[in-house]
Amino acid sequence: MTSALHVPYMFRSFSSTPFSTKLFLIPLLPLSFLAMLVMWLYSKPFLNTFYYLRGYLHQTWVVPRFGFQYFLPFAAQGINKQIEQAILRADRLGVKVISLAALNKNEALNGGGTLFVNKHPNLRVRVVHGNTLTAAVILKEIPKDITEVFLTGATSKLGRAIALYLCTRQVRVLMLTSSTERFLKIQKEAPSEYQKYLVQVTKYQAAKNCKTWIVGKWITPSEQNFAPTAAHFHQFVVPPVFPFRSDCTYGDLAAMRLPLDVQGLGSCEYTMERGVVHACHAGGVVHSLEGWTHHEVGAIDVHRIDLVWEAALKHGLKPVSSFRQID
């Protein structure tokens, strides 16, 4: 409710700085709540921000739903209808790439965008979830000398890709999942000589000696306590985990800085500084700049992770350091 007030047409000066909860927002919460009700009853996707890059116009459209609504089972159909409207509108306008963001590409909601591509096979606009670049940013943060990681959210779209990529680097991946069936399905996707590096675990205690945690499912402070001293928490979970351990370090969500020649960028993307966007947003930008003609939906193609990463660097996008320590 408070972050909805960070849009530039509310307070441009506030929108131009990274979001944080301010006292002056509290009296405006009823206004935000009323807007939520109106949008729920009658609304369609609308323009929020825009910028120019390499001669192309990039716009951010808002799906008129709040985060908690994505977790209401009866709201899923309406949310998908809103996303579908945005895709079809983009197609009519001649948009080259439409990049799904945040929960709009949730696997349980629409299969990471596959629902729309299958329903409309003749789309000219390319539908992109951007998670290939998200996986790349997370993986490139992991030091090359690491031999073991602990992975939560291990059977998710990103978790699967990260596990399969790391095992080919001969990194032992402790995959936290209670579903042996889903674990074995992922393990069988790995080349036979690397399958031994994927290990199923069902308890956090299994990672008591592992100093590299990759968090794809929200973990409580008590669960964080199982990590050893000096552990680092990489993460791709929304919302980010609460940084509880003062003797550990925490990474932010995967992000990249846009190229220096970006123009007209007058607002910040949520809590990040101006010019920095979430990696899935950057993934859509790279897809556009490269002129790729395929859809990027559904499961992540592990073989394209390095390719997308190199393309991002080639076009001047830069990874953002996400190292944080709690005082």
Side-chain angles (χ1 to χ4, degrees):
M1 291 295 170
T2 52
S3 63
L5 299 169
H6 193 240
V7 291
Y9 43 83
M10 285 295 295
F11 305 102
R12 291 191 65 181
S13 59
F14 180 46
S15 171
S16 67
T17 59
F19 172 79
S20 62
T21 302
K22 305 290 186 181
L23 287 177
F24 77 85
L25 296 177
I26 306 304
L28 297 174
L29 281 177
L31 177 63
S32 186
F33 183 79
L34 178 62
M36 181 270 293
L37 293 177
V38 172
M39 288 192 295
W40 202 344
L41 293 172
Y42 180 76
S43 185
K44 59 183 179 180
F46 57 92
L47 174 65
N48 183 32
T49 62
F50 65 90
Y51 59 87
Y52 293 91
L53 181 62
R54 313 280 164 84
Y56 289 99
L57 172 64
H58 296 250
Q59 297 180 335
T60 299
W61 294 354
V62 174
V63 173
R65 294 294 184 269
F66 285 71
F68 77 91
Q69 292 169 297
Y70 286 77
F71 298 96
L72 303 176
F74 61 84
Q77 184 176 353
I79 292 172
N80 277 331
K81 183 178 179 181
Q82 294 279 351
I83 300 170
E84 183 179 11
Q85 285 180 353
I87 292 172
L88 295 178
R89 180 184 172 196
D91 197 55
R92 290 193 300 270
L93 291 172
V95 174
K96 299 297 183 183
V97 173
I98 185 165
S99 181
L100 306 179
L103 296 171
N104 293 314
K105 57 180 183 285
N106 190 291
E107 193 70 26
L109 182 68
N110 52 47
T114 55
L115 173 68
F116 312 114
V117 172
N118 292 338
K119 186 175 180 180
H120 303 282
N122 296 320
L123 286 173
R124 291 170 299 171
V125 65
R126 303 294 92 180
V127 181
V128 175
H129 57 46
N131 279 340
T132 308
L133 186 55
T134 301
V137 172
I138 295 168
L139 287 163
K140 300 304 178 180
E141 286 182 347
I142 299 173
K144 294 186 182 296
D145 59 349
I146 292 296
T147 58
E148 183 179 74
V149 302
F150 176 62
L151 177 63
T152 75
T155 59
S156 66
K157 182 162 52 249
L158 274 164
R160 164 194 163 275
I162 290 169
L164 290 172
Y165 186 96
L166 287 175
C167 78
T168 60
R169 278 177 40 186
Q170 300 183 39
V171 175
R172 189 168 181 258
V173 183
L174 305 178
M175 299 175 63
L176 180 69
T177 176
S178 59
S179 174
T180 301
E181 180 183 356
R182 294 177 71 177
F183 166 76
L184 290 175
K185 183 179 179 181
I186 294 173
Q187 188 182 48
K188 288 177 182 177
E189 288 189 67
S192 56
E193 66 269 30
Y194 299 119
Q195 291 181 4
K196 63 184 178 182
Y197 292 102
L198 300 180
V199 181
Q200 181 187 9
V201 298
T202 58
K203 297 182 183 297
Y204 287 91
Q205 291 91 321
K208 63 182 181 180
N209 296 317
C210 183
K211 291 190 175 185
T212 302
W213 285 40
I214 306 175
V215 182
K217 184 177 181 181
W218 212 83
I219 55 176
T220 64
S222 62
E223 290 166 341
Q224 292 180 35
N225 274 329
F226 288 110
T229 300
H232 181 74
F233 294 88
H234 303 270
Q235 55 182 318
F236 58 92
V237 59
V238 178
V241 299
F242 177 73
F244 173 74
R245 297 277 299 274
S246 60
D247 58 342
C248 296
T249 53
Y250 293 79
D252 293 321
L253 294 179
M256 297 200 82
R257 186 176 298 279
L258 292 172
L260 296 177
D261 56 333
V262 64
Q263 297 177 319
L265 191 61
S267 60
C268 292
E269 188 163 291
Y270 196 43
T271 59
M272 295 178 291
E273 62 182 280
R274 205 183 318 181
V276 176
V277 298
H278 290 95
C280 57
H281 179 154
V285 173
V286 172
H287 207 96
S288 174
L289 293 175
E290 281 290 303
W292 287 329
T293 58
H294 65 281
H295 296 291
E296 184 192 340
V297 295
I300 296 171
D301 183 349
V302 180
H303 301 293
R304 290 187 62 85
I305 289 177
D306 286 330
L307 185 151
V308 172
W309 173 255
E310 293 299 331
L313 298 182
K314 179 184 72 176
H315 287 291
L317 286 89
K318 297 180 180 179
V320 179
S321 175
S322 64
F323 183 93
R324 284 187 296 129
Q325 188 162 14
I326 308 305
D327 295 329

